[in-house]
């Protein structure tokens, strides 16, 4: 390991580290605009200049200079100070002085570094250049005159997202960053360039002119738009969440977030259920809480009560509903709304066992029945990293546009019994082979055969478990841990014809199968489930309550409450607690703390943040048959009630999926 000296501090740095990384290990702050830890080195902003000896008697860009044994690095010499002032002066030559009207104001790297490293005056007296605005779609607002050509957005699109949609035109001071042919950026991670942009050139179009960062209350939460469980921050003002930003978590989402998880935020205030409703003479009419509870109590369901959990429900809500059903004498619980009925006796068989971090190290990957880009966009970025490290990817199912080289093996699941020779050779030689089974594969009964293939290809080895199931619902793994799974799935519940069906925000269920049941919908949006309900009890969205969520890799995570629910809507557990009183049964808790304690006592893993231990992988059986004709998700942007209520997501769907044109105001 090389030994270097940074401002008089001697230290050892890892082999291959750069001078910038060595300075940071020494506790020195090095300004930068183009350098980013997760992107390739560009070395084009020159803000990270330091003085290095031995070497030429001039400042050098520390981000692109390897650390070598014996180097003496100075980060605060007069030469360095003057060089940084000069670089900042050049950067500001053409930068417009529009901080008061720039959305980046208050969280702008250029602002902050100009204050610390800039001169405070400029010697430039010529006209500033101007750049025409570019159209990058419904999510990204551009002001390209502010661009300092750091190329972070270009490198992110090419290297992380794997979609070459953003690039540079022309040279020198005429250089412009743009999408090719000025079309909208279409990939599912496109808005991450807003976080990466160190100036106000790329900002959020839906959030434009909404608020300043110092006005906002920041709350830590978990993304519920898919089963990845991305760590997010909710920025709210008053009773409204104004924006959602990713939080750093290397084990889950690194520092990225899908466009849906970020921009469905405006759906939190639209189409909301804010008072109880009762169906009378075929029509829903407004009611009071007492009237709604009285109508449910009148049914007197007893043991003939069932609960279906939706895709965005927290574990506390599901446990409270389970306690209510148990108090009534019922065990009819289900969370797989669309009719899946795979074996849930061993949760290791339906978990993403490799973990998101681990899948990057796989060297052969077989994807069965999963459109990963739409089902888990952040996982797709991890698979791309695996391919960059040399992994080979094979896909069983209809073709979709991958962001990495992949071989499609057709739609027939019989291929699981005998892989083509080229694929079999790859898996035979692989040291860390992996299989990812998606929703389309589960629906066709491929779980058993996939487990069998896993054993044949020795995917479980010392310190490696390559068998993975990719779920699409934020509540799925938590629900399965709490027993929300009937042997026959939804069909089993429908066959029982329950008197009372409690729907916990379940909007994907075919409610015509429960025509003889009273349907009590506890949810937050007037979506499909509310339309079919006999009684609507308005509940809180994920941003309006604390909760526990378990992602598809079995990682238990906690979310906090950012704002209060609108109108008469209440947190779900309080509704279920009051319903227990109306039905004259006891559920054993009177506060959220008591509810969580009871849940952790029943399922201890839900009380510990981190990966749950599901034990060893079971043996598979059966032969795969049938074909995968389509994937469950038809429209990436409209997969849940919050997204369907979002104007931004509706426009993304219309423009990016269905190809509709939207004229700008100036046009």
């Amino acid at each position: 390991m090389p030994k270097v000296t940074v401002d008089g501090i001697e230290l050892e740095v890892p082999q291959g580290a750069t001078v910038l990384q060595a300075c940071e290990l020494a506790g020195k702050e090095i300004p930068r605009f183009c350098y980013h830890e997760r992107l390739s080195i560009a070395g084009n902003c020159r803000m990270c200049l330091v003085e290095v000896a031995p070497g030429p008697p001039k400042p050098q860009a520390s981000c692109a200079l390897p650390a070598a044994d014996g180097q003496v690095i100075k980060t605060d010499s007069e030469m360095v100070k003057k060089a940084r002032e000069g670089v900042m002066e050049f950067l500001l030559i053409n930068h417009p002085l529009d901080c008061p009207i720039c959305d980046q104001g208050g969280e702008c790297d250029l602002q902050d570094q100009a204050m610390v490293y800039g001169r405070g005056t400029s010697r430039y007296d010529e006209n500033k250049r101007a750049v025409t605005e570019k159209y990058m779609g419904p999510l990204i607002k551009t002001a390209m005159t502010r661009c300092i050509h750091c190329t972070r957005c270009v490198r992110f699109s090419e290297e992380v997202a794997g979609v070459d949609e953003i690039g540079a035109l022309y040279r020198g001071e005429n250089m412009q960053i743009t999408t090719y042919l000025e079309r909208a950026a279409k990939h599912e991670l496109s808005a991450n360039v807003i976080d990466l942009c160190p100036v106000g050139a790329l900002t959020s179009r839906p959030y434009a002119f909404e608020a300043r960062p110092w006005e906002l209350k920041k709350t830590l939460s978990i993304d519920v738009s898919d089963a990845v469980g991305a760590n997010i921050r909710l920025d709210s003002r008053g009773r409204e969440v104004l924006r959602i930003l990713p939080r750093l978590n290397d084990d889950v989402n690194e520092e990225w977030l899908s466009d849906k998880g970020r921009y469905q935020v405006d759906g939190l205030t639209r189409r909301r259920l804010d008072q109880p409703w009762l169906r009378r003479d075929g029509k829903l009419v407004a009611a009071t809480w007492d009237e709604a509870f009285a109508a449910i109590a009148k049914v007197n369901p007893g043991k003939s009560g069932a609960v279906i959990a939706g895709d965005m429900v927290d574990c506390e809500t599901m446990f409270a509903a389970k306690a209510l059903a148990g108090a009534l004498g019922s065990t009819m619980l289900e969370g797989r709304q669309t009719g899946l009925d795979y074996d849930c006796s061993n949760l290791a068989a339906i978990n993403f066992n490799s973990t998101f971090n681990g899948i990057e190290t796989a060297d052969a990957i077989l994807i069965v029945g999963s459109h990963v880009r739409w089902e888990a966009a952040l996982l797709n970025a991890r698979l791309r990293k695996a391919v960059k490290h040399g992994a080979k990817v094979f896909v069983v199912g209809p073709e979709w546009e991958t962001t990495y080289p992949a071989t499609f093996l057709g739609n027939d699941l019989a291929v699981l019994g005998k892989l083509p020779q080229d694929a079999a050779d790859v898996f035979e030689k692989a040291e860390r082979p992996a299989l990812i089974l998606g929703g389309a594969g589960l629906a066709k009964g491929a779980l058993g055969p996939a487990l069998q293939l896993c054993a044949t290809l020795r995917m479980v080895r010392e310190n490696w478990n390559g068998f993975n199931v990719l779920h699409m619902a934020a509540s799925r793994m938590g629900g399965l841990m709490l027993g929300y799974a009937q042997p026959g799935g939804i069909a089993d519940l429908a066959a029982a014809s329950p008197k009372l069906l409690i729907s916990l925000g379940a909007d994907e269920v075919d409610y015509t199968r429960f025509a003889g049941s009273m349907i009590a919908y506890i949810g937050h949006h007037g979506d499909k489930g509310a339309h079919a309900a006999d009684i609507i009890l308005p509940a809180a969205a994920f941003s309006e309550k604390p909760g526990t969520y378990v992602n598809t890799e079995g990682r238990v995570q906690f979310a906090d409450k950012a704002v209060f629910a609108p109108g008469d809507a209440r947190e779900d557990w309080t509704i279920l607690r009051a319903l227990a009183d109306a039905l004259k049964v006891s559920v054993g808790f009177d506060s959220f703390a008591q509810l969580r304690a009871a849940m952790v006592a029943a399922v201890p893993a839900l009380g510990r943040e981190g990966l749950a231990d599901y034990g060893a992988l079971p043996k598979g059986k059966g032969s795969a048959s049938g074909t995968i004709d389509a994937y469950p998700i038809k429209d990436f942007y409209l997969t849940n009630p919050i997204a369907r209520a979002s104007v931004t997501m509706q426009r993304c769907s219309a423009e990016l999926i269905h190809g509709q044109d939207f004229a700008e105001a100036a046009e």
Side-chain angles (χ1 to χ4, degrees), residues 181-499:
L181 304 178
E182 295 196 22
R183 298 288 180 89
K186 287 187 176 181
H187 62 86
E188 300 77 20
L189 301 174
S190 67
N192 287 289
V193 299
I194 295 168
D195 299 332
L196 288 171
C197 185
V199 296
L202 303 177
T203 55
S204 171
R205 185 180 289 271
Y207 178 69
F209 311 123
E210 286 287 334
R212 287 299 195 189
W214 53 83
E215 298 177 72
L216 304 174
K217 183 183 83 169
K218 299 165 179 61
T219 307
L220 307 185
S221 189
I222 302 298
D223 175 36
V224 296
S225 65
D226 56 27
V228 172
N231 287 214
I232 58 174
R233 190 184 86 195
L234 304 176
D235 285 359
S236 57
R237 183 177 61 191
R239 297 189 67 163
E240 184 178 357
V241 177
L242 293 178
R243 68 174 177 179
I244 296 176
L245 295 177
R247 280 191 289 136
L248 179 65
N249 188 326
D250 284 328
D251 292 329
V252 183
N253 58 305
E254 299 177 288
E255 57 189 86
W256 318 127
L257 184 59
S258 75
D259 290 349
K260 180 169 54 182
R262 184 188 299 260
Y263 282 116
Q264 66 178 9
V265 60
D266 62 320
L268 289 169
T269 57
R270 292 177 170 85
R271 295 188 192 168
R272 288 303 300 269
L273 299 172
D274 58 1
Q275 68 180 80
W277 296 80
L278 283 176
R279 190 174 296 278
R280 290 179 179 150
D281 299 325
K283 292 184 178 180
L284 287 169
V285 295
T288 65
W289 281 103
D290 288 340
E291 289 172 338
F293 287 143
I296 295 174
K298 193 174 179 181
V299 175
N300 191 22
K303 294 182 179 179
S304 185
V307 182
I308 299 179
D311 290 346
M312 309 173 82
V313 189
D314 56 291
C315 292
E316 285 82 358
T317 296
M318 289 188 282
F319 182 79
K322 180 181 180 180
L324 176 59
L328 292 170
S330 171
T331 58
M332 291 190 285
L333 310 171
E334 185 54 74
R336 300 164 296 178
Q337 301 179 62
T338 54
L340 298 179
D341 60 353
Y342 46 83
D343 181 13
C344 299
S345 57
N346 187 327
L347 295 186
I350 46 176
N351 185 50
F352 201 94
N353 296 293
S354 297
T355 73
F356 297 147
N357 253 344
I359 200 68
E360 293 180 10
T361 65
D363 49 6
I365 302 169
L366 177 64
I367 301 172
V368 181
S370 178
H371 187 328
V372 184
R373 271 187 73 170
W374 281 9
E375 294 173 14
L378 293 166
L379 172 62
N380 195 60
R382 301 269 193 176
L383 296 182
R384 179 170 165 76
K385 288 168 84 171
V387 171
K388 281 173 131 181
H389 297 150
K392 302 292 184 185
V393 177
F394 301 89
V395 184
V396 178
E399 292 196 18
W400 48 277
E401 189 178 348
T402 61
T403 57
Y404 37 80
T407 304
F408 284 84
L409 303 178
N411 298 7
D412 194 342
L413 282 170
V415 75
L416 296 181
K418 189 175 189 329
L419 290 176
Q421 193 58 48
D422 55 343
D425 291 343
V426 169
F427 279 95
E428 185 66 33
K429 297 173 185 173
E431 294 182 6
R432 295 168 78 87
L435 183 148
I436 299 175
L437 179 62
L442 289 172
K444 292 291 184 178
L447 180 58
L451 283 166
Q452 209 166 15
L453 179 63
C454 173
T456 303
L457 298 176
R458 297 185 302 109
M459 289 187 180
V460 179
R461 307 178 182 187
E462 187 176 356
N463 299 322
W464 176 251
N465 186 337
F467 185 80
N468 305 293
V469 170
L470 178 59
H471 297 291
M472 291 171 281
S475 65
R476 183 69 75 246
M477 285 305 292
L480 295 176
M481 290 171 75
L482 289 167
Y484 274 75
Q486 295 292 301
I490 287 285
D492 193 54
L493 256 63
S497 299
K499 289 183 183 178

Side-chain angles (χ1 to χ4, degrees), residues 2-15:
K3 290 184 179 179
V4 300
T5 303
V6 181
D7 291 342
I9 302 171
E10 290 188 14
L11 71 156
E12 285 189 351
V13 298
Q15 194 69 41

Side-chain angles (χ1 to χ4, degrees), residues 496-553:
S497 299
K499 289 183 183 178
L500 174 65
L501 178 67
I502 298 176
S503 170
L504 303 177
D507 292 286
E508 314 304 328
V509 178
D510 178 7
Y511 285 103
T512 59
R513 304 171 77 174
F514 298 92
S517 306
M518 171 179 272
I519 301 170
Y521 180 79
I522 302 175
H524 39 80
H525 277 75
D527 204 75
K528 302 172 186 175
H531 288 220
D534 298 302
I535 299 173
I536 296 175
L537 305 175
F542 77 98
S543 58
E544 297 154 2
K545 58 185 175 182
T548 303
Y549 297 92
V550 186
N551 74 355
T552 191
E553 56 176 357

Side-chain angles (χ1 to χ4, degrees), residues 13-31:
V13 298
Q15 194 69 41
T18 63
V19 168
L20 186 150
Q21 291 169 325
C23 293
E24 290 191 330
L25 284 172
K28 302 295 179 180
E29 183 177 334
I30 304 296

